[in-house]
Amino acid sequence: MRWFLTRLLAGVAAIAVVLAGVGVLLAAQYSGTPAAWALSQGTDAVRVESEEDAEALGPLLDTGSVDTVYVLVGEIDADGAIEPAPDVEAILARVAAHPDVRALAWLRHVTEGSSLLVDRFDRQAREALAPAVAEAAEGFAGAHLEIRPVTVNDPSLPTLMEMVREELGEEAVLSVRAHHVEPVPGGRIPSFIVNREEKYWSQGYLARVAENADEVVLPGTGAEMPMDSLYGGFMVRQVTESVSAVRAREGLTLRFGVPAEGDEESAETALSAIRLGMTRADTPEGIRLGVVLSDPAQTTAYTSGWLG
């Protein structure tokens, strides 16, 4: 019994040391001044879940810097079936008023818990889902998949991405919502132990999922940092680590989420941090960086913090 308690306390102490080290690292990241060029590249996006949300799209799309709207078209169940969402046609009508803006069919599967042993989708679910995604994306420029949580090294998501790419064809856009990248190598392990589900992806798994994607979205919420400075440092690190992971991918668009107004994680801090990350990331010319707004009503924060 004493041996077990000794090992347990040693494990807890090790996790505490890792977390303390991460905190010091993140606090140091959110400092300095972003470069003057670290602003919108005209490749930003916004998520729309309902016709009510879409009512605020006009002023945002009029900025000319948002070129993509993720329109929620359905929820994915564990068997790969899709439950259609309402209001899709009404939302598309609003997007169509802006010819330079494209709509992607956003399909979502969100659950609790993930496993080292059980894949998120089994073979039958993947075989059902891949053609269903292509069908749901008809009339759109492509598809955006949000599937979480998915454990690092789960083969089902990279395989699904490959299958969906084949169903969509090369001309359609395939976008995927990633998990946060672990702030330091191995940092995902303590989080997995505590939460019993995957919060972070390694750089290697992010690169693997992105192999068949045209666009990858890193979330801007759920960092669970106790201070604004730590959240800012976390977002800086998301930019630099994700760019490092996919730097070999020519033609990829990499976007970072911006929290909605009222969220504990502020849009202003996220945008400032993303600019700092862009300044430090040494992004290859073949990769474009942008942001994804959580709410079309974020026009004021977006224009003041991102358009310069």
Side-chain angles (χ1 to χ4, degrees), residues 26 47 117 203 211 239 284:
L26 296 183
R47 299 184 303 176
L117 302 175
Q203 284 193 0
E211 285 179 358
V239 178

Side-chain angles (χ1 to χ4, degrees), residues 20-269:
V22 170
V24 171
L25 171 67
L26 296 183
Q29 293 288 303
Y30 191 53
S31 61
T33 302
W37 54 262
L39 292 164
S40 177
Q41 300 175 356
T43 183
D44 302 321
V46 61
R47 299 184 303 176
V48 176
E49 297 192 39
S50 67
E51 186 177 8
E52 182 179 1
D53 289 343
E55 291 175 358
L57 271 175
L60 180 64
L61 299 186
D62 285 341
T63 65
S65 293
V66 174
D67 69 358
T68 301
V69 178
Y70 302 123
V71 180
L72 184 65
V73 301
E75 303 285 350
I76 303 168
D77 69 21
D79 296 325
I82 297 173
E83 178 66 29
D87 302 333
V88 173
E89 294 301 324
I91 297 170
L92 283 176
R94 291 182 180 274
V95 177
H98 300 266
D100 294 331
V101 178
R102 64 188 181 186
L104 297 186
W106 169 19
L107 294 153
R108 182 170 61 188
H109 174 85
V110 180
T111 186
E112 294 183 357
S114 57
S115 171
L116 296 173
L117 302 175
V118 180
D119 296 343
R120 175 54 62 207
F121 292 114
D122 62 21
R123 180 181 58 82
Q124 288 183 324
R126 295 193 300 268
E127 290 177 350
L129 180 55
V133 170
E135 183 178 353
E138 291 181 3
F140 290 81
H144 172 68
L145 299 181
E146 178 183 0
I147 298 169
R148 56 187 171 94
V150 178
T151 300
V152 166
N153 295 328
D154 180 335
S156 66
L157 183 55
T159 301
L160 176 65
M161 291 290 292
E162 182 177 359
M163 294 171 68
V164 172
R165 166 56 71 201
E166 291 177 357
E167 293 284 348
L168 286 175
E170 292 298 324
E171 297 301 317
V173 177
L174 178 54
S175 173
V176 64
R177 192 263 198 199
H179 288 29
H180 294 299
V181 182
E182 53 187 358
V184 295
R188 52 170 287 268
I189 297 173
S191 172
F192 189 94
I193 292 172
V194 171
N195 296 315
R196 297 186 179 181
E197 70 176 35
E198 197 74 270
K199 176 179 174 64
Y200 302 114
W201 282 354
S202 64
Q203 284 193 0
Y205 191 67
L206 174 61
R208 186 179 172 193
V209 172
E211 285 179 358
N212 287 286
D214 301 298
E215 301 177 359
V216 176
V217 175
L218 274 293
T221 58
E224 299 177 355
M225 294 294 156
M227 294 186 294
D228 191 65
S229 60
L230 292 181
Y231 172 63
F234 180 87
M235 289 303 296
V236 171
R237 195 72 173 169
Q238 290 302 293
V239 178
T240 57
E241 293 300 289
S242 59
V243 168
S244 178
V246 301
R247 63 183 311 107
R249 279 295 316 282
E250 184 78 20
L252 184 73
T253 296
L254 190 59
R255 295 192 176 107
F256 303 91
V258 178
E261 184 177 351
D263 196 290
E264 292 180 359
E265 299 155 335
S266 75
E268 290 76 12
T269 298

